Amino acid sequence: MTATLSGPQRDLLMQRMEQDPQRFQRMIIDDSQKAIQKMLKQGKLNAAFTKKLWELLVVNNALSIALQRYLWRVTLKQKRTFIQGLDEHLSKRYPMFKGLSEGWPGKNNIPPYVRPALERRKDFNLVNQGYLGYMGLGYSLREVELFVWLEVLRDKQCQDRPCEIGIPHDNQQGETTSDNEGGCPVKIHIPQVLNLMGEGKFKDAFELIRNANPLPNVTGRVCPQEVQCQGSCTLKERPIEIGQLEWFLPQRQRQLDGGAATDALLCNPWAVATKPPVAIVGSGPSGLINAYLLAKAGYPITVFEAFHALGGVLRYGIPEFRLPNQLIDDVVAKIKALGGRFVTNYIVGKTATLADLKRAGFTRIFVGTGAGLPRFMNIPGEHLLNIMSANEFLTRVNLMHANEAEYETPLPEVKGKQVMVLGGGNTAMDAARTACRLGANVTIVYRRTQQEMPARVEELQHAQEEGIMLKELRSPCEFIGDQNHAVASSKLEVMTLGEPDASGRRRPKATGDTELMPVDLVIMALGNSSNPIVKDAEPDLQTSKWGTVLLNKDSQQTSLSGIYSGGDATRGGSTAIKAAGDGQAAAKEIMQDAHFNPKEVLNLVTQASRYTDLAQTRAEIVKRTQLTAGVVEFTIKAPLIAKSAKAGQFVRLLADDKGELIPLTLADWNESDGTIMLVIQGLGSSSKIINKMRVGDCFAAIAGPLGQASHLLKHPDNQRIIFTAGGVGLPAVYPIVRAHLETGNKVTLIAGFRGLDFCFWTEKDGRIETLRRQYPDQLEVIYTSNDGSFGIKGFVTMPLEEMLISHRDGIGEPIVIAQVITIGPPMMMRAVSDLTRDYNVPCMASLNSIMVDATGMCGACMVPVMEDGKLIRKHACIDGPEINSHVIDWDKFLPRFNQFKVQEHQSEIDHHLIDE
C-alpha cells in the first residue's frame, strides 16, 4: 500500500523503528488509513487493494485493529464500497461473500454456520454452530472474527437503542405503557457491545455482556431473539444476528483460553461471612443467573436442585443439538469458583419447606422452580400406552440418556415408528427433532396454521429441513388402541380459523370433518400448568388462579417476606431469557434488602453452612439385610428425608449415574440417626443391580420424601381399618399401620406371601410381631400364603371377604370396617378394590406406577379415574400415592405397569441377569 523503498531509505526506516516503534506504528496506521480513505472515496476497490486490505485485517495486530476501528467509523456509503470489494474480489476464497453486497446492509449478511440437514438429523451434535462453525470448514479463528465483524458493520448505530430497551407501545386506551415490546430482558447494553465489536475490541465486548448476563452462551442459543432484541432491530428484513454475536463472544474466549474460563475466587464468601447467606431454589436459568450475581457480589449462596443433575429445564428440556450440556456445566463451574454451593435431590416443599430454609439461616430465598405439570387433552383413549408428555419424552432422553444402550432408563420403540407430536411451540420442535434423530417418522400436528405457531422460526425451519412433516389445522379428538393397549391411530378433527382470541391468534374451530391417522407414539407438547408442590407446602404464599406465584408490584418479592421468585414459577410457560431477567432483577433486590449486623451475619452463615453440609450428605448404605432370596432391606443415610418423612410417602432412587429413576415407598426412618429404610425386591435389572450393593456403597441419588402422606383420622373404637399387603407391599404398609396405631385406631393387617420361603418380618422378633406386642389390643395380624405353607392357604382376599360379610350382615361379632388400604402387586390391589366395591366399603390403593421425575413434571404416572361420570387423569406422584381405588379404571390402568416390559427384559439379558 506504500511505495517501494530504496536500500538507504529502508535502513533509515528500520533505524527509526528501533528508536521509536510506537511512532513508526502510528505512521503505518496513518498511511494505511489515508490509502483506504482515498480508495473508498473513489467508490470502487480494485482486486489488489482489496486483497491487501483483507490480508492486513487478518494479521490481527495493532494495525488490523486500527483498520477495523477506522472502517467501523466511515460512512455507510463507504462501508458499502468495502463490502462490494469483498464480494467482487474475495468470494472465490470466501464463498459466503458471494452476493453479500446485494441489498447490504438491510437485506443480506453472512449467516452463522448451520450443519446440513441430512448430516445433523442423525446425531445430537450442535445444529446451529454459529460463526465458530466456519472453523470446521478450515477457516482460522481470526477469519471467523472478521466474519462476525462484518455482521456488526451492518449496525445502523441507532440512538434510541430499540434492540436494548424495546419499542414503546400503547394499550387499548391509547396510553403508552411501561412495558416495551422486544428489547433485552437481561438488560445487555447491545449498542455498546456492537460498538466495541465494531472497533475490534472483542474481549471488552465480552466483559460488557458478562457483567449483565453470566449465561450469554446459554441464553444466546435459546433466547427467542426474533421477538426480543432482533424483533426490535431497525433492519427489518434481516436483523443483525445479535443472539449469535452474544454467544460467539464467550465461545471465542473459550477458544483463546483453551477451555472454560472461570472467575477467580479472591475470598470465599462462606469464610469471610460479611454478607448473609441466600438460598436459591432451582438451577434453571433464573436460579443460575441469580446465584452467579449474588456469589460475585460476595454473598454465600446455596442452590437447591430437585434433580440429580444441575441445569433445570436447560438440561432436561432442551436437547444437546440446541444447547450442549457443557455450557451448563461451565456456568455451574463459574458459580462454584465464586464460592457457590450446590445441593441436588432437594425438593423444596417436600424435603423441607421455605420456612425450614429460613430457620437454617437463609433469610433470603429465591424460588425458581419452573412451570410444572404437563397439560393433556383429556380425550378418549388418552390412557393408552405410548402416549406421553414432551416433558417425559425429553427427560428420558436429555436427562436420563434413555437413547444410549449403557443407560438403564427405558424408552418406547421409536426407530421406524410413526410419531405424532402435538403442539406448535419450541418444546414441540425439540420433541419432534429428538424423535427424528432416534429414527422415527415424525409429524407435527397443530390445530392452527404454521403462521400462528409460537415456535421460533429457526426451529421450525430446521425441523422441516430434517424431514419432519407438519399437519396443519388438525386436532386429535380420540386415540384408538390395539390389542396390546397401545395407541394405533388417532381420529383428527379438521379445523378452520375463526376470529382472534386473547393471544391475538385466530381461534381454531372444528369443521365437523374427521380423518384417521396411523400412529405408534404420541408426544404431547401442550404447555404446562403450575406444579402445586411449593404452593401446597406454603399456605401463606399467594398464587394466581393458575397456580403461579404472585409478586409484589414492581418487585420480584412474593407475599412472604424475604422470599423472591421469577421465571416460569411466576410467569407460567415463558422463555429462558425472561426467566434469566427475573433472576437478575431479584438478585439486585436481594442485595438492596439484606441488612444485618456483623454478628448476625456470622451466625446466619454458620447455620446455613452447617445445613448445606447436612443436605449434601451422601446416600451411604449403613446396613444391609437379606430378607429372602430376592428381597433386601437397606438402611441408608438421608438425614433431611428422615426428618421430613411421613407415613405413606416414597423416595426417588438412582443407583448410579447410568441407572434408572425408580420410586420406592419408605419402609421406615429414624430421624435421630438420620437414616431411612427401603426394602427392594429384585424384579427388573435396576432393582437386581441395586440388591447387589453392599454396606459402604452410596446411591447416586435419593430424593424425597415425595407424594401425599397417608390421611390419618381417629375412628370410633368399634371400627377397624383393614390393610392388605402382598409381598413387598408389607414394608410399604408398615409405617402406615404404625401411624394409625399411634393415632389410636384399631387395625387388622392381612399380609400375603407366595410361601414360607418368601416371608419376612414375621418371625418372633420381626417388625410385625414386635408391633403386635406393642399394640396387643389394637393390632390384629393375619398371614396368608398361596401354597398354605404359612398362615391361611390362599390370597389376602379370602380373610378380607369374611370380614366384609361380617361387616355387611352382622354375623358373629360384627366388624365395622372404616376403610380398607391395599398395597402390593397390581392384580392383588385390583382384586381387593373389586371386592370392597361389592360390599360398599371405602378402599384406598397405594400406587407406585411408572414414574420418571416423581414430582409431577413428566406426567408418566398417569392414573385414569372416573369423576362425575368423566374419565380424567390423576398422577400417582402428586395426587397419591394413595388414591380411591373405586374411581380407578383398572382396565385402563393395569397395562401401564407393563409398558416397558420388552425393554426391561432386554436389559436383564444385557446385564446377564437372565438367560437369553
Side-chain angles (χ1 to χ4, degrees), residues 786-806:
N786 296 4
D787 59 6
S789 58
F790 181 73
I792 300 170
K793 183 178 182 179
F795 302 111
V796 295
T797 49
M798 294 175 61
L800 173 63
E801 186 164 22
E802 290 179 9
M803 294 178 188
L804 290 168
I805 292 172
S806 177

Side-chain angles (χ1 to χ4, degrees), residues 237-265:
E237 291 190 55
R238 193 175 291 273
I240 293 174
E241 299 276 1
I242 298 170
Q244 294 290 332
L245 303 180
E246 180 185 356
W247 68 264
F248 164 79
L249 290 170
Q251 290 302 94
R252 169 190 176 272
Q253 197 62 45
R254 184 185 177 90
Q255 286 277 339
L256 295 174
D257 294 338
T262 58
D263 296 90
L265 179 58

Side-chain angles (χ1 to χ4, degrees), residues 3 111 132 278 281 338 392 423 507 552 576 643 776-777 868 890:
L132 280 171
V278 180
V281 180
L338 292 169
E392 178 186 353
R507 190 187 305 275
N552 297 340
K643 184 177 181 179
D777 298 326
D868 300 324
W890 290 94

Side-chain angles (χ1 to χ4, degrees), residues 446-462:
Y446 187 54
R447 59 182 185 156
R448 292 183 169 99
T449 67
Q450 179 173 331
Q451 183 177 350
E452 285 82 25
M453 294 181 84
R456 296 188 63 189
V457 174
E458 177 185 82
E459 301 305 320
L460 177 58
Q461 179 183 336
H462 288 170

Side-chain angles (χ1 to χ4, degrees), residues 559-580:
S559 57
L560 299 178
S561 176
I563 309 295
Y564 301 79
S565 188
D568 287 355
T570 61
R571 295 175 176 270
S574 186
T575 62
I577 192 65
K578 287 186 177 180

